[in-house]
Amino acid sequence: DAGITQSPRHKVTETGTPVTLRCHQTENHRYMYWYRQDPGHGLRLIHYSYGVKDTDKGEVSDGYSVSRSKTEDFLLTLESATSSQTSVYFCAIRGSGNTGELFFGEGSRLTVL
Amino acid sequence: GENVGLHLPTLSVQEGDNSIINCAYSNSASDYFIWYKQESGKGPQFIIDIRSNMDKRQGQRVTVLLNKTVKHLSLQIAATQPGDSAVYFCAETPIGAAGNKLTFGGGTRVLVKP
C-alpha cells in the first residue's frame, strides 16, 4: 500500500462545468503523476509534479491544469469539462528507489455528459 | 473490466499452464522497464522490473525477458492461476529522464480458464 487516496472515486458532471480531482499521499514522496486511461489508448500522462509548486506537462495536458501547494496533495482540474474528458483518472507516486517504478491509486471515474 | 475496454489483445490460458505476454517498445533510449498488472476496477500494480543491463530477471512465478536488439519485452507467468486474470501492461522509461515519466503499452488481457 503506497498510501495514495484519490477523491472522488466516481463523478458525473455536465459539459462546461469545472471539476477537481484530488490525490493525497501519506509518505512524503516528491514525484506525483496524473494519468488517464481510455480504451484503445492505455495509460497516458497528463501532468506530473516534482515538488511543491513544481509541475510539468505530459503528453495529453490540453484542457487540464494541476496544482501542488503541499507535498501530500496533487490536484487535477478540468476548468470546463468536455465529453472527451470522460475517462478513468489515476494518480501515481514514484517510489523512493533510484529507478522509476510508479505506484498507483485506485482511480477516479469521471463521466462528462 | 471497465477500466481498459473492449479492444485489447487477449490471451486465453488454461489454469496451470504457463503464460507468455509480449510487448514491443519503440524508444531506443529506454533503459528501465516494468510490468504492471491491473485487475478490474483497480489501479495498476507493479509486478516486476528490469534494467537494460540485464536480459532476464525472475520473481515469484514471473520472469521478464528483455531483448534490446529487437526492442522486445516479455513476461512469463508460470503455472497460471485464476487470480492472474487481469490486464498486463509494459512500461518503459530512460532512467534519469526528467520526471522519470513512464510510457505505457496498450495492454494485454489474460483470461485464465479453470
Side-chain angles (χ1 to χ4, degrees):
Chain A
D1 182 1
I4 305 169
T5 304
Q6 292 185 228
S7 59
R9 294 290 314 280
H10 300 272
K11 185 172 181 66
V12 179
T13 192
E14 293 187 350
T15 298
T17 59
V19 175
T20 295
L21 305 179
R22 179 182 182 236
C23 179
H24 179 78
Q25 56 134 335
T26 59
E27 299 184 2
N28 208 36
H29 292 287
R30 179 182 173 193
Y31 286 87
M32 299 183 75
Y33 306 78
W34 277 108
Y35 282 83
R36 61 178 289 174
Q37 186 172 41
D38 305 287
H41 292 281
L43 286 147
R44 294 179 293 172
L45 181 66
I46 306 171
H47 282 280
Y48 70 100
S49 170
Y50 47 97
V52 173
K53 291 186 170 43
D54 292 323
T55 66
D56 204 352
K57 296 179 180 180
E59 61 178 307
V60 290
S61 60
D62 288 348
Y64 301 95
S65 62
V66 288
S67 65
R68 188 149 177 222
S69 58
K70 46 186 177 177
T71 300
E72 58 266 35
D73 288 326
F74 190 32
L75 304 181
L76 177 70
T77 297
L78 292 65
E79 300 290 347
S80 178
T82 66
S83 59
S84 65
Q85 293 176 311
T86 292
S87 187
V88 181
Y89 292 87
F90 287 98
C91 175
I93 57 98
R94 179 182 161 191
S96 52
N98 61 357
T99 50
E101 62 193 277
L102 301 186
F103 297 93
F104 286 83
E106 295 293 281
S108 296
R109 170 165 283 280
L110 176 67
T111 302
V112 184
L113 302 175
Chain B
E2 65 183 4
N3 32 17
V4 288
L6 305 174
H7 307 292
L8 289 175
T10 298
L11 174 67
S12 187
V13 60
Q14 199 70 39
E15 181 178 356
D17 289 350
N18 297 334
S19 303
I20 300 176
I21 306 163
N22 296 302
C23 177
Y25 64 94
S26 56
N27 187 354
S28 300
S30 290
D31 51 10
Y32 179 61
F33 305 87
I34 306 175
W35 280 100
Y36 283 89
K37 173 186 180 183
Q38 187 175 26
E39 298 175 271
S40 181
K42 296 187 176 181
Q45 295 174 281
F46 173 90
I47 302 174
I48 192 168
D49 59 358
I50 190 168
R51 292 192 187 225
S52 60
N53 60 353
M54 304 173 68
D55 53 20
K56 180 179 180 179
R57 190 164 188 226
Q58 289 185 292
Q60 186 177 14
R61 280 202 309 118
V62 294
T63 301
V64 55
L65 299 177
L66 175 62
N67 185 330
K68 296 180 289 294
T69 302
V70 295
K71 295 203 283 286
H72 184 268
L73 193 67
S74 68
L75 177 70
Q76 300 177 1
I77 306 173
T80 311
Q81 302 171 359
D84 295 327
S85 291
V87 178
Y88 292 80
F89 294 94
C90 64
E92 58 176 296
T93 187
I95 292 178
N100 273 92
K101 296 169 286 184
L102 288 175
T103 299
F104 285 81
T108 298
R109 187 186 305 276
V110 171
L111 292 175
V112 181
K113 297 180 290 186

